[in-house]
Amino acid sequence: MEISSKENTHFFSNNTVLPVDRSSFKSESSASKEKQSCCGGIKIFLVALSFVYFAKALSGSYLKSTITQIERRFDIPSSLVGVIDGSFEIGNLLIIILVSYFGAKLHRPRIIGAGCLIMSAGTFLIAMPQFFMGRYRYERFPSTINSTVSLSPCLQDKSQTPLSALEKPQAKINAGCVQTAAIVGPIFGFLLGSLCAKLYVDIGFVDLDSVTISPKDVQWVGAWWLGYLIAGVISVLAGIPFWFLPEHLPKPESRKDSSTSSEHSKFIEESKDQHTSYWQQAKLAEMAKEFLPSLKNLFGNPVYILYLCASIIQFNSLIGMVTYKPKYIEQQYGQTSSKTNFVIGLINIPAVAFGIFSGGLIMKKFGIGVLGAAKLSLGSSFFGYLLLLSLFAMGCENSDVAGLTVSYHGSKPMSDYEQALFSECNSGCSCSKDDWDPICGENGVTYISACLAGCQASNGSGKNTVFFNCSCVGTFESSQSSSAVVGPCQKGNECPKMFLYFLVVSVITSYTLSVGGTPGYILLLRCIKPHLKSLALGIYTLAIRVLAGIPAPVYFGVAIDTSCLKWGSKRCGGRGACRLYDSSALRYVYLGLTLVLGTVSIFFSVAVLWVLRKRFSPQDETFSANGERGACGTKSRKDNFVNSDRLIQSIYWPEKETRL
């Protein structure tokens, strides 16, 4: 522990024995107790704040993991799910101004505690529809439930009407501490999503033995609501300590008198004093008068504007990609929701965290300046999106679905796939084209329903139901049998291998893109005049939330909906959720949109580098917002970066913990 020069002079001198002073021992003892009390308070605050970060990150990432579950549960398209996801940012924007204003005037720990309660109430509210909308219903042929009754899936009697779908079973160290919690939160969020996706949506309300679908079925919905209840409880627990913390943490006397306090601490205290004095003396008219010139000065900075545009477009790319990544993996590679969330939480997010850490480490180790930071950020984006390009070759072919991707005779279908759902083999059956109750024929082809497969008989119950005498299965090319089983057929033999390749490239891509996060943020801070930094960061955060966080999930969802081959139908009428996607179209839409946006952001990053090169001199390592060299100081590379070391440790950009 450091000791101030004043204390050194008081207690020690060369070859001198000081007289014993009892008051000095008392003051030393009281100072020690005060310091212990202060350290204890700070530790409690840090632990509590870290837990809050963890709870917030867990809730945000869990929302991403339940996108497909919510879509199936409420029969809604991806575009509407995108609106739900974007509303997370809308909620932030509605409260951020009030918190910013009252946060500096009221009891800040209690405001944080109140925020935790509001956050928990929000997560509880998300789960409420599960308890008000009745049990989940999925389409299933009636005879698969009751083995004592053998009905013909192919209703040859035109006067006989299909039974309604069955109801689903009712059923430094301190700053590293907080940021680590923000990284760990999404990992646990996706792992929680993986666990809940394995559990049936109505678990606890229905007999699970009566459930005839498995997690591999496209109609499967996991217990999405359970994770929100858990996240809500965690948020409540995270907020409790803040109600018992004082409004201001005590500061030990030794620290007040210490002449060796860090430059960072001095800056905070001076800024606080100046801020308090300013608000006491300034008038509203003067504030408004200063705001507009500051705004004009900020937007007149070409580096800031170009970097802001690059960030907005890149965040559009990344937010859209992350939001629908679980859906893409499920639909493209035939993986379950549980496995998808597990892979993202255990592999992708740690890769992103390691990339962020690596970017800061590279900046520190090599003492990289402003121009070097711009180059590193640009290189990270360029190579990241270049790797993303290779994913176009790592897709799976469409599953063979009779009437949608292949005809009933094995050839490619007609352009109007709705007309191709009916064939001579099922012409004697009374089938609905809106049903989705897939079965897998022994010929390896999936049929939308047992009725459309022309099946005449069935045996067994539940998941073990077997259909016989299926006329459409027998007419298929090289078919040796006319039987079928419940559930869709698995994707081709090459798909698991492609999924493994996808995971490897995806992890490397996530790491590469994340390396540029820290250098880019340092670039943003160093290109702004000191008195404009707060305004610049506020506008940056607001722009990312409004222009990327809200619209990206919506238009990505709209684009993904265009690749749907078979839409479900709601019980009350109207189009429901998509049951089957065109794998090739989905791949080109999802990856293509991500890549196009990323490419545009790279062009803006190149423009940033070009502007910096025009104003950069090898003799000057700093760059000012108005183009004057050395205006921010003329320190050496190493010294300049060391002063930014604490800044790198506390790097933050909008919703980092949920965008991983």
Side-chain angles (χ1 to χ4, degrees):
M1 184 176 293
E2 295 180 353
I3 303 177
S4 65
S5 57
K6 183 187 239 181
E7 290 170 329
N8 284 333
T9 305
H10 182 71
F11 287 109
F12 301 97
S13 63
N14 293 332
N15 301 321
T16 303
V17 177
L18 296 177
V20 177
D21 188 352
R22 295 184 179 273
S23 62
S24 67
F25 284 108
K26 290 181 180 180
S27 61
E28 181 181 357
S29 176
S30 61
S32 176
K33 291 181 179 179
E34 186 179 1
K35 188 176 296 185
Q36 290 178 358
S37 174
C38 175
C39 292
I42 291 177
K43 288 180 180 178
I44 293 174
F45 178 78
L46 282 174
V47 171
L49 189 62
S50 299
F51 196 26
V52 170
Y53 264 69
F54 173 82
K56 181 178 182 294
L58 185 144
S59 301
S61 58
Y62 184 76
L63 174 63
K64 301 289 184 186
S65 73
T66 58
I67 288 295
T68 56
Q69 307 291 313
I70 293 174
E71 181 178 332
R72 295 171 187 169
R73 175 63 179 89
F74 301 105
D75 257 336
I76 54 179
S78 297
S79 55
L80 186 54
V81 172
V83 174
I84 295 174
D85 183 80
S87 64
F88 186 84
E89 298 291 353
I90 297 175
N92 281 329
L93 292 175
L94 291 176
I95 201 68
I96 192 171
I97 297 177
L98 294 176
V99 172
S100 299
Y101 178 75
F102 290 106
K105 300 177 179 297
L106 303 177
H107 197 295
R108 276 171 284 189
R110 291 182 181 175
I111 290 180
I112 297 176
C116 291
L117 292 179
I118 295 174
M119 186 166 64
S120 66
T123 53
F124 288 140
L125 194 62
I126 295 176
M128 286 302 103
Q130 169 65 22
F131 304 100
F132 297 141
M133 296 189 65
R135 306 282 76 81
Y136 172 54
R137 297 171 181 264
Y138 56 88
E139 301 169 58
R140 185 59 78 219
F141 180 66
S143 64
T144 63
I145 303 298
N146 188 352
S147 60
T148 63
V149 180
S150 180
L151 297 178
S152 171
C154 177
L155 302 174
Q156 294 182 353
D157 184 1
K158 299 296 183 179
S159 63
Q160 186 178 1
T161 57
L163 298 179
S164 61
L166 290 179
E167 183 174 340
K168 274 199 168 188
Q170 298 195 0
K172 315 197 179 186
I173 286 189
N174 291 347
C177 183
V178 174
Q179 298 301 321
T180 299
I183 297 295
V184 173
I187 296 177
F188 280 88
F190 277 99
L191 292 181
L192 178 61
S194 174
L195 175 63
C196 293
K198 288 183 179 179
L199 307 175
Y200 184 64
V201 61
D202 291 323
I203 185 173
F205 300 96
V206 297
D207 180 12
L208 297 181
D209 292 333
S210 64
V211 179
T212 61
I213 57 176
S214 68
K216 294 183 179 180
D217 197 297
V218 72
Q219 297 186 84
W220 175 269
V221 175
W224 61 274
W225 51 273
L226 183 59
Y228 287 109
L229 297 182
I230 295 174
V233 172
I234 292 175
S235 297
V236 171
L237 296 177
I240 291 176
F242 290 96
W243 295 97
F244 300 97
L245 289 175
E247 184 173 2
H248 302 288
L249 292 175
K251 186 169 62 174
E253 196 68 29
S254 59
R255 186 173 179 180
K256 294 178 185 177
D257 297 337
S258 175
S259 61
T260 59
S261 59
S262 65
E263 180 182 348
H264 184 64
S265 301
K266 288 181 178 179
F267 173 77
I268 292 177
E269 295 302 322
E270 291 172 3
S271 299
K272 184 177 178 181
D273 294 337
Q274 292 174 2
H275 179 76
T276 304
S277 176
Y278 176 80
W279 278 96
Q280 290 175 347
Q281 299 175 6
K283 295 180 180 179
L284 185 61
E286 294 176 352
M287 290 169 52
K289 186 177 180 181
E290 292 178 2
F291 177 75
L292 293 179
S294 298
L295 203 61
K296 183 179 179 181
N297 195 331
L298 186 63
F299 285 116
N301 183 346
V303 176
Y304 177 76
I305 293 299
L306 290 172
Y307 182 78
L308 180 63
C309 293
S311 298
I312 290 173
I313 298 173
Q314 186 176 39
F315 269 103
N316 270 272
S317 171
L318 298 178
I319 290 171
M321 180 178 69
V322 171
T323 300
Y324 292 100
K325 192 169 191 176
K327 172 185 277 292
Y328 179 76
I329 294 177
E330 290 177 37
Q331 296 295 332
Q332 186 69 212
Y333 302 102
Q335 302 297 321
T336 64
S337 296
S338 177
K339 185 175 181 179
T340 298
N341 291 327
F342 182 81
V343 166
I344 294 175
L346 211 60
I347 299 179
N348 275 89
I349 293 180
V352 172
F354 187 56
I356 296 172
F357 173 79
S358 299
L361 187 64
I362 293 171
M363 291 280 291
K364 180 177 181 180
K365 186 172 182 62
F366 297 99
I368 297 177
V370 177
L371 190 60
K375 292 178 180 178
L376 184 56
S377 179
L378 175 60
S380 168
S381 297
F382 177 78
F383 287 108
Y385 286 109
L386 194 63
L387 286 168
L388 192 67
L389 187 64
S390 65
L391 294 180
F392 280 98
M394 301 176 189
C396 296
E397 296 296 327
N398 283 319
S399 300
D400 290 339
V401 182
L404 292 181
T405 61
V406 294
S407 70
Y408 282 89
H409 299 286
S411 60
K412 291 300 177 182
M414 300 164 54
S415 57
D416 190 354
Y417 60 85
E418 290 290 345
Q419 295 293 331
L421 289 178
F422 299 99
S423 179
E424 293 180 2
C425 62
N426 57 30
S427 59
C429 304
S430 178
C431 304
S432 170
K433 67 178 182 179
D434 296 326
D435 290 341
W436 179 263
D437 184 11
I439 63 171
C440 179
E442 288 197 0
N443 54 9
V445 176
T446 299
Y447 295 85
I448 292 178
S449 67
C451 182
L452 286 172
C455 299
Q456 304 295 326
S458 64
N459 186 25
S461 63
K463 301 173 185 177
N464 300 318
T465 301
V466 179
F467 299 94
F468 300 101
N469 300 327
C470 301
S471 56
C472 293
V473 177
T475 60
F476 198 85
E477 289 181 354
S478 68
S479 178
Q480 301 293 328
S481 175
S482 59
S483 63
V485 294
V486 173
C489 299
Q490 297 300 311
K491 292 246 182 183
N493 296 330
E494 293 294 320
C495 207
K497 186 188 299 183
M498 287 295 180
F499 178 55
L500 183 60
Y501 295 155
F502 170 83
L503 286 182
V504 173
V505 175
S506 177
V507 168
I508 298 175
T509 302
S510 299
Y511 171 80
T512 305
L513 288 172
S514 302
V515 168
T518 300
Y521 200 79
I522 292 296
L523 168 65
L524 173 66
L525 293 177
R526 290 187 184 177
C527 75
I528 302 298
K529 292 180 178 179
H531 69 281
L532 294 177
K533 277 184 170 56
S534 298
L535 179 62
L537 291 176
I539 293 176
Y540 180 83
T541 303
L542 183 66
I544 295 297
R545 291 185 184 277
V546 174
L547 301 179
I550 296 175
V554 178
Y555 66 76
F556 260 81
V558 172
I560 288 174
D561 282 341
T562 61
S563 64
C564 183
L565 288 177
K566 172 64 177 175
W567 289 98
S569 299
K570 295 182 179 179
R571 294 194 305 273
C572 56
R575 193 174 74 176
C578 183
R579 304 301 189 191
L580 180 69
Y581 288 90
D582 184 332
S583 295
S584 298
L586 176 62
R587 182 165 67 253
Y588 289 123
V589 167
Y590 174 76
L591 296 178
L593 189 54
T594 301
L595 197 61
V596 167
L597 290 170
T599 303
V600 175
S601 72
I602 288 176
F603 281 114
F604 278 101
S605 297
V606 170
V608 170
L609 184 60
W610 180 74
V611 173
L612 284 174
R613 278 187 178 277
K614 287 182 62 177
R615 301 189 178 190
F616 181 80
S617 172
Q619 290 79 18
D620 299 313
E621 276 303 308
T622 55
F623 169 78
S624 69
N626 59 6
E628 296 175 359
R629 296 189 178 98
C632 300
T634 56
K635 295 183 180 181
S636 66
R637 271 185 168 185
K638 186 173 181 180
D639 292 340
N640 191 28
F641 190 82
V642 167
N643 287 337
S644 302
D645 187 27
R646 293 184 181 86
L647 180 62
I648 292 177
Q649 294 177 6
S650 59
I651 282 299
Y652 177 82
W653 52 88
E655 293 303 302
K656 175 183 70 175
E657 64 273 15
T658 59
R659 301 309 178 198
L660 294 174

